[in-house]
Amino acid sequence: APVQVAGGVDEQGAFFALGCGDIQIRCFSGAGVERWRRRYNEGVPGRICVADIDGSGSDQIVVGGEVLSDTSTCRILDPQGKFLAHLPVEGWTSMLTALVLGQVGERHFIGCGANRGKNMHLFEFEREEPRLDAVGSWKQGWMKRLGGQVRGMRILASEGGRVLGGTSQGFLL
């Protein structure tokens, strides 16, 4: 299976997060030294990105299973390999077919698409009040069941956070 790569920077310097064909998530330093590896139980992590997804000023790793997947859970890890969140998308025999990150003002979102069933989800990071830092958790905003496999999603900040999604059967939300 193909290897997926995304890069970021933390206090140790540049790093690269990899979704590997042996159902592992690996992290390498900019010099190519393996920092850690974690088993991604839901199959080959075919979707991976690195970004500050919660406004903390630190990059996190967002990953989802696409190839040979048993469920389409989206997972969030810190650059040291600690699992921070598990976002359920769809159940048994599903694959994560779309992954998008978005920000509208101070609000942070993750959009996930799957190949079947409950195939389109939007999650939002909710800060613990009255804190202004990034302490909080991810909550599901909504879920849709569209015909076909969700092939792509976009979160439009300029449109107040509207979400566009397209499926293999031509549905558009």
Side-chain angles (χ1 to χ4, degrees):
V3 173
Q4 302 297 315
V5 181
V9 178
D10 68 1
E11 63 277 350
Q12 298 176 34
F15 69 89
F16 297 94
L18 285 75
C20 302
D22 61 353
I23 66 173
Q24 298 286 324
I25 305 165
R26 290 183 171 81
C27 185
F28 288 88
S29 70
V33 176
E34 186 175 298
R35 289 188 184 181
W36 52 262
R37 71 175 66 186
R38 298 288 178 270
R39 179 179 169 87
Y40 186 82
N41 194 51
E42 282 72 35
V44 175
R47 305 274 176 191
I48 192 164
C49 54
V50 175
D52 175 7
I53 59 171
D54 60 8
S56 65
S58 299
D59 285 340
Q60 294 91 39
I61 301 164
V62 183
V63 63
E66 179 182 16
V67 183
L68 303 173
S69 189
D70 65 1
T71 66
S72 53
T73 303
C74 179
R75 301 213 188 277
I76 302 170
L77 299 88
D78 68 15
Q80 289 71 45
K82 177 183 174 189
F83 284 108
L84 302 175
H86 306 269
L87 309 179
V89 178
E90 180 49 86
W92 188 245
T93 70
S94 65
M95 299 183 298
L96 195 76
T97 55
L99 177 63
V100 64
L101 308 177
Q103 182 175 349
V104 179
E106 296 299 316
R107 299 171 68 192
H108 298 268
F109 299 95
I110 297 176
C112 298
N115 64 317
R116 64 171 192 80
K118 299 177 288 188
N119 58 357
M120 192 172 187
H121 298 255
L122 186 71
F123 297 92
E124 181 175 359
F125 185 76
E126 293 185 355
R127 284 186 171 70
E128 294 178 6
E129 296 297 334
R131 300 176 70 126
L132 297 177
D133 61 8
V135 174
S137 59
W138 288 94
K139 306 289 184 194
Q140 185 172 38
W142 51 258
M143 174 275 298
K144 302 291 181 193
R145 295 176 188 263
L146 301 176
Q149 182 181 110
V150 173
R151 295 276 176 96
M153 295 176 69
R154 294 288 180 265
I155 299 170
L156 303 175
S158 64
E159 297 293 322
R162 289 188 181 168
V163 177
L164 295 179
T167 73
S168 59
Q169 293 183 357
F171 285 87
L172 183 64
L173 178 65

